[in-house]
Amino acid sequence: MGAALARAAQWTAAGSGTGTLKITPLNESLLNQIIKFVEDFSTRHPREAAFVFREPLEWKTQLGCSVFGEGYEINGATVQSEAKGKDGQPLLLLMASTLRVRSFDQLSSLLQIAMEKKLKEAQTCLEANRDPIVKILGPEYGTVEGEDMSMLHLLDKVKKDDDPETELKMKIFLLLHQLDLQLLNSSLKHISEDIRLNPAAINNEVNLLKNFSGKGEHTVLESLEYTSDYTFSNGCRAPPWRQVHGEICYLVIKPHDTDPLYITCSTAGVFLNGGELKGKDDIDYERKSDVYEDIVTFLRERSPRFVENMAKQEYNFFKEPTYEKNYQRMEVVDAKVSGQSQNLYDFTEKNVCEKVKSSAARRRSIDKKKLEPSMKWKNTGLSASHSDKAAKKDTEEEGRSSTVSLKIKKKASGISSESVKIQPASKCKTSGRFEHVSESSSETEEDEEQPVHHQEGNTDLPSEYWGIQKLAKYLKGGNPTATVIALCSMRDFNLAQETCQLAIRDIGCLEVLINLLDTEEIKCQIGSLKILKEISQNTLIRHAIADLGGLQIMVKILDSPDKDLKCLAAETIANVARFKRARRTVRQHGGIKRLVGLLECISVGSTSLTPYQAKDTEIARCGALALWSCSKSIKNKEAIRKAGGIPLLARWLKCSHANILTPVVGTLQECASEPSYRLAIRTEGMIENLVKNLSSEHEELQMHCASAIFKCAEDKETRDLVRQHGGLQPLSVLLGNSENKQLLAAVTGAIWKCAMSGENVSKFREYKAIEALVGLLTDQPEGVLVNIVGALGECCQEPINRTIIRKCGGIPPLVKLLAGTDQALLVNVTKAVGACATEPENMMIIDHLDGVRLLWSLLKNPNPDVQASAAWAICPCIENAKDAGEMVRSFVGGLELIVNLLKSKNKEVLASVCAAITNIAKDEENLAVITDHGVVPLLSKLANTNNDKLRRHLAEAISHCCMWGSNRVTFGDTKAIAPLVRYLKSNDPSVHRATAQALYQLSEDPNNCITMHENGVVKLLLAMVGSTDEILQEAAAGCIANIRRLALATEKAKYG
């Protein structure tokens, strides 16, 4: 940690006194990693966490006395921890505002107390303790420059000295050394990815924004000004004493819809500062917001009006010198355009390519500003980098004009070549892009910001790039015939290649392709969609199409009578709608209803199709593909259901063509996360078809069918249907395909959920699925292991299956998985190990493999589900272990840990811990220990609960804890009796039994008998004396007998 702070962290200049940590993204990242390390230290390394520092870490804190609670003694302005060192001094001491901490345990607790102030506390602590290792371990461990020999000296000391503290120091030093390396690697990665701003880049951006600013409704800003007109020789406008912090200049920005914004532009990015100081000619330099990569990104977050007006801007370029273009005119021979794919190279002279290259060479010397596009162009991701400006050759003139000499009207005979004005795609945009509409938080959303791949130099551009650039001229400015030929020629390129995709984007063809969709000429629309379908596989292109309003036009095309056009539009929508904003746009413009309409077809189920029916099937396939992409949003799932999509999907599920079955089942399995769809899948008879397709030859179809069953089998009726339709055998067979991990994850998930029914488990045993699952416990991804272990956990509920797992060698790999970190896997594996532990022979193996210790350590896991599952698993381990009492005592701090879990807020954790305490208390010595740890008052605090599961296990725990010392009296003193009496009014017989046993034990104390009688226990117990449950009957009778004896003794004492 010392090396990372010295070398990687960014410090201010010391000046007078010590330097401070700058507030930079790198420092925040380092601090957060250190905080996480310290917070987890006490749970991961409890022995090391208790080590007392050589000297306390001391700093000025912002925390007040009031934040400290249990475990601390507060006396006025002084706070000290109850925990003390061997010298009797507290491990944490707060006097006035000075805080001294002497152990990692206290540091961890302090950070949890600090909550949102933890970052500031960590920063202040490290500023005051520049080399904390010296304070923690001693000066011999201090950070040194050059060759560090401390590790060798330490090894020598460990060899010569048998002192256990030396070994402990060694472990702590190694842990801190490991943290040091992690921080250094993290900072190196951060620095390598950091793109720093410079004065020139900021100046260019300011000048560009000024061109779009001023008075008027349509300007993006009212004004944007520097706070200082003076520019230093390095290009900065910030004063020198601020330049040392990386600051470049300060701006005052007046948006149309917010107060003036005072921002700082620094090498690390752009952020909001404190504004002008009243009465002073200076500003508050302190950062008041997050750091943004540039001014535009900052404004997009702060001003909705800026975003709205930016969207209305035309794609304007700054003027540039025009060069003579002596290209030979292209003569198009009269020919049938449909199906024609002649290459335009055949219509040009050879010297065209040479002129293109020489023109590019001349333009490389032109000032960058001349070719820089508007910020709107930049924001849509359609501009190339500055190094790409040679690739823009002949496109700027066409880009400046929104007029394309192309009018295409549908006529009975031929194509007209009159001139028409095509609306720019930017005007097709709607405000939907900027709406704050809540979408599914669980949907798988593609990354919104992917790295942009720019060409490094024009000389390295491949020939395809130049070829597409030449075609762009004819695509933008040619007549209809030339446009169609250009589209055909463009398709001759390998559009799956990223170079070709980015070439189309960089030279402005994307806007033209989308404009062509809004014409009335079918051939141009089809040609454009064929290209868009191919290039929309690229993430950047997908976002650009959505930005340019392409989705809205494609949704309209779905109403076209032309079937080819509808197919292409639906397929392109399927590609583009892979991110949230695109899916929302499709829904808001009526796309879901239109796509569902594509599924309506009379040819469903036909084996031999006529050409007409085949085309209808292809339309349905494309519609299903688009619905599949859109169905990742919860609102879209609801829209599909309301549009009548479920019955249509059910009809198509009966067909035998895998090419349409795959998207149909894919859509169903996405939607099956919603209860309404699961009910529909069951009632519409779809389970039978899903089971049938598990035996398909297509692995992708099998995977989606298994995934749909996985989600639907949450319901018992569905699990029964899967069994009745013979789905369990193909699922068992598919376990043999362990190479396809996605298929294996879906199949094991389906088996897990189906195994929740006992009848299905018997079938799985018959099909040897349990042995197959055990064989898959090693070398699998965590997603697959979660399902495998979940399935084994369900199968383990039957004794015969627990024996099978033991004989197949399944217990060692299950115990090994207890050391993992995946939360879902830990929940399932603890359940499986706990179920196995109910067999004494299995328990011997688990104990031998130290499985109980691993289970106990999971009680420290911060996830309540893991804690509860581990506590439930511990119960059968204690019941079936040979020397359970000694085993439990051997876990250092184990009993205190489990007692402290009674402070949890989670009902399942509390119930499971009470169950574990019931088993622990069966051993007298352990009961004495947990009594000393305060188990009785903690149990009493839980008594006022309405949860029957917790009531039952709490009553059992109280019953067993009464067996030691004066615990019965303490339960009475802590007011546990009255709530227990109310438990007898529950409808759960198991609660009655446990409560009666607890009351019987408590009634051994006379005062408790009085409290019970006052709360009407006799009447409730009398009804239970006649119960068929012998244990309940006996406990109720015993309790009444104790109360009666007390009454008789009282009468005898009173009347003699």
Side-chain angles (χ1 to χ4, degrees):
M1 189 159 65
L5 290 173
R7 299 173 194 169
Q10 297 167 336
W11 296 84
T12 61
S16 59
T18 58
T20 59
L21 285 167
K22 295 180 185 178
I23 302 300
T24 63
L26 172 59
N27 280 354
E28 285 190 22
S29 172
L30 294 177
L31 285 172
N32 282 324
Q33 289 180 69
I34 292 170
I35 288 168
K36 188 175 186 309
F37 171 82
V38 175
E39 282 183 330
D40 296 346
F41 197 88
S42 59
T43 52
R44 291 190 175 192
H45 314 287
R47 185 161 167 260
E48 288 77 13
F51 174 77
V52 179
F53 298 164
R54 179 81 165 265
E55 293 179 41
L57 296 177
E58 184 176 327
W59 71 93
K60 295 288 183 183
T61 181
Q62 293 182 356
L63 300 177
C65 299
S66 58
V67 300
F68 293 91
E70 191 175 347
Y72 298 94
E73 298 171 1
I74 303 173
N75 183 13
T78 303
V79 178
Q80 64 179 25
S81 63
E82 292 177 355
K84 292 180 171 57
K86 292 179 182 177
D87 56 0
Q89 295 298 315
L91 298 180
L92 181 145
L93 179 64
L94 171 61
M95 296 180 68
S97 61
T98 302
L99 185 63
R100 297 183 180 88
V101 182
R102 300 175 63 204
S103 75
F104 279 109
D105 225 340
Q106 291 299 322
L107 274 178
S108 178
S109 301
L110 181 72
L111 289 174
Q112 290 171 13
I113 291 169
M115 298 176 71
E116 70 276 0
K117 292 182 181 178
K118 65 173 74 170
L119 192 68
K120 188 64 181 173
E121 287 299 312
Q123 179 187 349
T124 314
C125 174
L126 292 173
E127 286 170 353
N129 304 275
R130 290 287 287 263
D131 197 353
I133 297 176
V134 171
K135 296 277 187 80
I136 294 169
L137 300 174
E140 63 269 26
Y141 298 92
T143 305
V144 295
E145 291 297 329
E147 190 176 5
D148 187 357
M149 304 296 289
S150 57
M151 189 78 75
L152 296 175
H153 294 322
L154 190 59
L155 284 169
D156 288 339
K157 195 171 182 182
V158 170
K159 286 180 182 177
K160 295 174 185 175
D161 196 350
D162 292 333
D163 184 9
E165 189 172 296
T166 307
E167 185 182 347
L168 198 60
K169 281 186 178 182
M170 174 73 168
K171 287 182 180 177
I172 294 171
F173 182 74
L174 290 173
L175 289 168
L176 292 174
H177 183 67
Q178 188 178 357
L179 173 64
D180 229 352
L181 293 176
Q182 179 188 326
L183 294 175
L184 288 169
N185 288 334
S186 173
S187 63
L188 185 64
K189 184 180 178 185
H190 193 283
I191 291 166
S192 67
E193 292 175 352
D194 191 18
I195 300 171
R196 302 178 73 80
L197 293 179
N198 57 57
I202 292 170
N203 196 44
N204 286 342
E205 193 173 8
V206 169
N207 289 336
L208 280 166
L209 284 172
K210 281 184 176 180
N211 286 325
F212 293 98
S213 302
K215 300 295 181 184
E217 293 182 2
H218 301 296
T219 58
V220 294
L221 299 168
E222 280 189 22
S223 66
L224 179 145
E225 298 296 337
Y226 290 108
T227 58
S228 170
D229 293 330
Y230 183 76
T231 307
F232 290 90
S233 57
N234 60 1
C236 295
R237 295 172 187 255
W241 60 90
R242 297 306 301 176
Q243 289 183 32
V244 296
H245 298 283
E247 294 174 7
I248 297 170
C249 65
Y250 311 98
L251 297 170
V252 183
I253 300 174
K254 291 184 180 177
H256 289 289
D257 53 352
T258 66
D259 293 332
L261 301 170
Y262 294 84
I263 69 168
T264 300
C265 299
S266 71
T267 53
V270 176
F271 57 85
L272 194 68
N273 59 45
E276 290 181 338
L277 294 170
K278 289 183 180 179
K280 295 183 181 179
D281 188 18
D282 204 355
I283 63 172
D284 179 359
Y285 298 107
E286 188 176 350
R287 179 161 69 89
K288 304 291 185 183
S289 73
D290 292 335
V291 179
Y292 297 86
E293 61 183 22
D294 53 37
I295 301 169
V296 172
T297 307
F298 171 84
L299 288 170
R300 288 171 75 88
E301 290 290 324
R302 295 278 167 173
S303 171
R305 183 79 175 274
F306 172 83
V307 175
E308 184 182 338
N309 286 355
M310 183 63 86
K312 295 175 183 175
Q313 298 297 326
E314 300 288 346
Y315 292 93
N316 294 323
F317 281 84
F318 294 102
K319 289 185 178 180
E320 61 165 327
T322 53
Y323 297 98
E324 212 174 349
K325 300 182 179 75
N326 296 320
Y327 295 115
Q328 195 161 336
R329 290 189 61 180
M330 182 179 77
E331 300 293 335
V332 181
V333 185
D334 235 349
K336 291 182 180 177
V337 179
S338 60
Q340 188 172 0
S341 61
Q342 298 177 21
N343 195 312
L344 288 183
Y345 297 117
D346 299 336
F347 298 104
T348 55
E349 294 292 328
K350 290 180 181 179
N351 63 353
V352 169
C353 187
E354 294 170 11
K355 290 187 179 184
V356 167
K357 290 183 179 178
S358 63
S359 175
R362 285 198 304 273
R363 294 191 185 198
R364 273 198 290 269
S365 62
I366 298 171
D367 188 357
K368 291 181 181 180
K369 292 181 184 178
K370 302 272 187 180
L371 286 174
E372 193 156 38
S374 72
M375 290 307 299
K376 169 67 182 165
W377 181 274
K378 275 190 170 184
N379 290 339
T380 55
L382 293 177
S383 67
S385 66
H386 294 306
S387 62
D388 287 344
K389 59 179 181 281
K392 293 193 180 76
K393 301 182 51 317
D394 308 321
T395 62
E396 283 75 6
E397 285 77 5
E398 290 85 357
R400 280 197 295 271
S401 171
S402 61
T403 303
V404 179
S405 60
L406 170 64
K407 174 170 184 174
I408 309 170
K409 287 192 175 179
K410 195 172 180 182
K411 291 191 175 181
S413 58
I415 298 171
S416 167
S417 60
E418 298 163 11
S419 177
V420 72
K421 192 152 186 160
I422 294 181
Q423 290 293 325
S426 59
K427 292 189 177 179
C428 300
K429 286 190 178 188
T430 68
S431 60
R433 177 183 172 191
F434 307 109
E435 286 184 47
H436 296 286
V437 182
S438 64
E439 291 280 344
S440 163
S441 61
S442 63
E443 61 180 90
T444 54
E445 181 182 340
E446 183 179 270
D447 291 335
E448 292 287 345
E449 294 181 0
Q450 292 285 346
V452 181
H453 302 287
H454 292 305
Q455 301 292 344
E456 290 300 324
N458 295 315
T459 54
D460 296 328
L461 290 172
S463 59
E464 290 89 347
Y465 195 97
W466 300 107
I468 289 173
Q469 188 191 43
K470 281 196 292 181
L471 288 176
K473 176 186 175 188
Y474 303 105
L475 190 62
K476 291 181 179 183
N479 58 34
T481 307
T483 300
V484 173
I485 294 173
L487 289 169
C488 294
S489 299
M490 194 171 282
R491 288 199 64 223
D492 285 343
F493 289 96
N494 180 9
L495 296 179
Q497 188 179 341
E498 189 181 33
T499 304
C500 296
Q501 294 167 351
L502 296 182
I504 291 171
R505 183 202 68 171
D506 292 348
I507 60 181
C509 282
L510 203 54
E511 184 189 9
V512 180
L513 289 171
I514 291 170
N515 276 336
L516 287 173
L517 298 180
D518 214 11
T519 64
E520 296 177 5
E521 174 49 49
I522 299 294
K523 291 186 179 74
C524 286
Q525 288 178 307
I526 288 176
S528 175
L529 279 172
K530 283 185 176 180
I531 293 169
L532 289 171
K533 185 187 83 171
E534 294 293 330
I535 65 176
S536 58
Q537 300 290 345
N538 184 296
T539 304
L540 296 169
I541 303 290
R542 284 200 285 273
H543 285 262
I545 290 171
D547 289 338
L548 290 167
L551 279 169
Q552 293 90 317
I553 304 172
M554 289 179 214
V555 167
K556 288 179 187 174
I557 290 173
L558 295 175
D559 290 330
S560 168
D562 188 282
K563 293 183 177 181
D564 289 329
L565 203 54
K566 286 200 285 192
C567 282
L568 288 167
E571 276 195 280
T572 311
I573 288 171
N575 289 341
V576 178
R578 293 183 189 174
F579 62 102
K580 184 166 67 175
R581 179 161 50 86
R583 291 192 283 272
R584 183 168 66 232
T585 302
V586 174
R587 183 182 71 250
Q588 289 174 341
H589 289 82
I592 300 295
K593 191 172 182 179
R594 290 179 172 96
L595 289 169
V596 168
L598 298 183
L599 298 179
E600 294 178 359
C601 176
I602 57 171
S603 62
V604 179
S606 305
T607 50
S608 58
L609 301 175
T610 64
Y612 181 84
Q613 289 175 326
K615 180 55 69 177
D616 274 358
T617 304
E618 179 61 14
I619 291 172
R621 183 189 73 83
C622 297
L625 277 171
L627 287 173
W628 188 5
S629 292
C630 292
S631 64
K632 290 178 173 63
S633 156
I634 288 178
K635 288 191 175 181
N636 284 357
K637 290 172 188 174
E638 182 62 18
I640 293 169
R641 188 184 64 78
K642 286 180 177 177
I646 296 176
L648 292 171
L649 289 168
R651 282 174 59 196
W652 279 110
L653 196 57
K654 295 173 183 175
C655 82
S656 56
H657 305 291
N659 63 338
I660 187 170
L661 275 172
T662 300
V664 165
V665 177
T667 306
L668 284 171
Q669 67 90 12
E670 280 291 348
C671 294
S673 57
E674 298 299 304
S676 58
Y677 273 90
R678 293 201 292 270
L679 177 63
I681 288 170
R682 186 172 73 243
T683 54
E684 293 276 350
M686 289 189 246
I687 296 296
E688 182 179 0
N689 298 108
L690 289 172
V691 166
K692 175 185 168 186
N693 287 310
L694 284 174
S695 304
S696 167
E697 295 177 355
H698 301 271
E699 288 190 356
E700 188 181 4
L701 179 56
Q702 290 176 321
M703 177 187 73
H704 293 309
C705 288
S707 184
I709 291 170
F710 173 31
K711 292 176 181 177
C712 292
E714 293 282 353
D715 311 314
K716 186 181 186 306
E717 295 87 346
T718 303
R719 295 197 288 270
D720 293 340
L721 285 172
V722 173
R723 182 182 70 256
Q724 289 161 15
H725 292 300
L728 302 182
Q729 186 168 14
L731 284 173
S732 303
V733 170
L734 285 172
L735 287 174
N737 188 352
S738 59
E739 298 301 317
N740 187 334
K741 300 303 179 186
Q742 287 183 314
L743 174 59
L744 189 61
V747 168
T748 51
I751 290 174
W752 172 20
K753 297 301 177 183
C754 288
M756 290 178 178
S757 295
E759 301 92 334
N760 292 350
V761 172
S762 301
K763 286 288 183 185
F764 282 132
R765 184 169 63 251
E766 182 184 327
Y767 300 137
K768 305 292 183 185
I770 298 171
E771 292 89 335
L773 287 168
V774 170
L776 293 169
L777 277 173
T778 52
D779 300 325
Q780 298 297 339
E782 283 185 340
V784 176
L785 283 173
V786 169
N787 297 340
I788 292 171
V789 176
L792 289 173
E794 296 299 334
C795 293
C796 280
Q797 304 309 312
E798 295 184 7
I800 186 171
N801 294 336
R802 296 195 284 267
T803 305
I804 292 171
I805 290 172
R806 184 183 74 248
K807 289 181 177 178
C808 291
I811 293 177
L814 282 173
V815 172
K816 188 177 180 182
L817 290 174
L818 289 171
T821 55
D822 184 271
Q823 305 297 299
L825 179 57
L826 287 174
V827 170
N828 285 355
V829 77
T830 45
K831 181 179 179 181
V833 171
C836 287
T838 55
E839 301 286 327
E841 290 174 325
N842 292 353
M843 185 55 218
M844 288 175 64
I845 301 171
I846 293 168
D847 192 21
H848 177 70
L849 296 168
D850 216 13
V852 185
R853 187 183 298 277
L854 289 171
L855 282 171
W856 215 287
S857 68
L858 289 176
L859 295 175
K860 300 175 187 174
N861 193 291
N863 188 327
D865 293 333
V866 176
Q867 291 175 344
S869 190
W872 286 123
I874 284 169
C875 295
C877 290
I878 296 173
E879 286 176 13
N880 294 288
K882 275 191 174 180
D883 191 357
E886 185 59 38
M887 177 187 73
V888 170
R889 284 192 294 279
S890 70
F891 304 142
V892 179
L895 291 172
E896 184 180 5
L897 172 65
I898 204 159
V899 169
N900 283 334
L901 280 177
L902 290 172
K903 299 172 186 175
S904 173
K905 303 294 182 188
N906 186 286
K907 292 284 190 291
E908 188 68 21
V909 172
L910 292 172
S912 60
V913 169
C914 286
I917 286 172
T918 300
N919 287 288
I920 290 168
K922 290 174 182 176
D923 180 88
E924 195 175 65
E925 285 186 49
N926 289 340
L927 176 54
V929 174
I930 62 174
T931 301
D932 290 342
H933 286 309
V935 73
V936 173
L938 288 171
L939 289 172
S940 298
K941 278 184 184 178
L942 301 176
N944 287 301
T945 179
N946 296 320
N947 185 296
D948 277 344
K949 188 174 185 179
L950 175 55
R951 280 176 164 183
R952 174 194 163 190
H953 293 290
L954 175 59
E956 287 177 353
I958 289 173
S959 172
H960 283 82
C961 287
C962 285
M963 306 293 187
W964 177 258
S966 59
N967 284 358
R968 291 186 181 89
V969 178
T970 311
F971 277 121
D973 294 342
T974 50
K975 313 235 180 298
I977 310 300
L980 276 173
V981 172
R982 291 196 292 273
Y983 289 9
L984 296 174
K985 296 176 183 177
S986 168
N987 295 322
D988 188 345
S990 62
V991 174
H992 295 166
R993 176 198 279 194
T995 305
Q997 287 177 298
L999 291 171
Y1000 171 59
Q1001 291 297 331
L1002 290 165
S1003 66
E1004 299 287 339
D1005 178 63
N1007 291 325
N1008 291 347
C1009 287
I1010 295 167
T1011 308
M1012 289 178 201
H1013 192 272
E1014 288 172 350
N1015 285 276
V1017 77
V1018 175
K1019 185 178 178 182
L1020 294 167
L1021 287 174
L1022 280 171
M1024 294 176 186
V1025 170
S1027 170
T1028 55
D1029 184 339
E1030 290 184 7
I1031 295 175
L1032 171 58
Q1033 187 185 79
E1034 187 177 337
C1039 184
I1040 293 171
N1042 285 339
I1043 294 170
R1044 183 61 187 151
R1045 283 193 199 98
L1046 177 64
L1048 289 171
T1050 305
E1051 283 183 25
K1052 188 175 181 182
K1054 188 180 287 187
Y1055 302 111

